[in-house]
Amino acid sequence: MAQQDKKGIVKPYGDAMGDGAVQLSFTLPGVSGEIAEEAARRLAGKMGIDDPYVSSCDDIGSEMTFIVLYGKVRHSVDIGQIKGFDRGDEKIPNMKVIDHMIEEKLGRVITAVGACIESDAHTVGIDAIMNMKGYSGDYGLERYKNIRAINMGAQVSAEEVVREAIREKAEVILVSQVVTQKEVHVRNLTRLVDLLEAEHVRDGVILVVGGPRITRELAKELGFDAGFGRGTLPSHVAWFILNRLLEKEGRA
Ligand code: B12
């Protein structure tokens, strides 16, 4: 439970309630030593951070200085104003229950094709969701009797994913995007949606994206059915798939 006062106004907590203590780290180009330290303190002030204390200021080469700074943020946030997010306390059933519900309520095996797309080589996230072993004690989709999980691995082009989904008559496409440098994930994901639309198969699949910097809002904005971020468990995804399919069929 976040530390907060009675009115729902939240400030970071360090040594004492409401002290606003935060730690920042960032890299400053073109400066070093005491000038870098002073630049960091001034920058902190502009960010609304009082009493900035530079705890480390290291030369990391190529005229770059890496700073770690502590301070007290002036700002607070009213959590009462935050609307439209689930409270994260939905009780998600375990694999056995979901698997049984797929059989009972849907009555068929769901085919899901997954991949980490384009130049992105990070396999761990998609494997965590799809592979038998799963993640953090939660079995992966391959372990579900009623899900046929086809994990294509990493660095798979959007075209290959679309072809495989059509060939395998997939009801679900799962894509992972971990690298977000220069918004490359946005371009890759948009292209995948465009290709699915061009093949007239977008409406026939549940399209899901995941990755550490993926948010539900971004996923929706890009035309996906759902987005899953850090800490996602395979059962979260299976539960979403089941409910979305039931909803699509008017049986929710
Ligand atoms: C391991 C790793 C690598 C390995 C990958 C090996 C492999 N087989 O996957 C190697 C060494 C190859 C690598 C390379 C690179 N990496 Co790297 N890598 C990492 C590292 C350390 C861990 C990633 C990881 O495995 N996390 C564990 C998994 C379980 O977490 P996850 O991916 O978030 O997945 C969870 C959720 O996000 C979600 N999820 C993920 N995908 C999906 C998909 C679906 C459908 C769903 C529902 C959910 C879901 O569920 C998962 C389980 O909860 C991270 C730093 C970090 N600590 O996160 C950097 C990191 C991701 N890498 C980074 C970078 C920059 C690179 C390189 C570009 C470096 C370089 N200059 O060469 C290259 C890129 C290579 C490429 N072409 O993609 C950056 C990315 C920055 C950014 N935002 O763009 C990071 C954040 C490091 C950093 N701080 O700079 N990397």
Side-chain angles (χ1 to χ4, degrees), residues 95-109:
M95 179 191 76
K96 274 195 177 154
V97 176
I98 300 175
D99 219 3
H100 182 70
M101 284 174 78
I102 297 175
E103 202 171 320
E104 286 283 293
K105 296 197 168 198
L106 214 57
R108 62 174 185 274
V109 172

Side-chain angles (χ1 to χ4, degrees), residues 114-116 118-130 135-136 154-155 173-182 184-185 208-214 226-234 236-237:
C116 185
E118 298 297 335
S119 58
D120 200 330
H122 293 85
T123 49
V124 185
I126 191 73
D127 287 351
I129 302 303
M130 299 195 80
Y135 184 63
S136 199
Q155 294 196 312
I173 298 179
L174 302 170
V175 292
S176 182
Q177 285 289 262
V178 175
V179 176
T180 58
Q181 287 168 331
K182 298 184 180 166
V184 63
H185 62 308
V208 175
V209 56
R213 300 202 181 175
I214 299 297
F228 289 86
R230 271 179 296 128
T232 304
L233 297 178
H236 298 165
V237 184

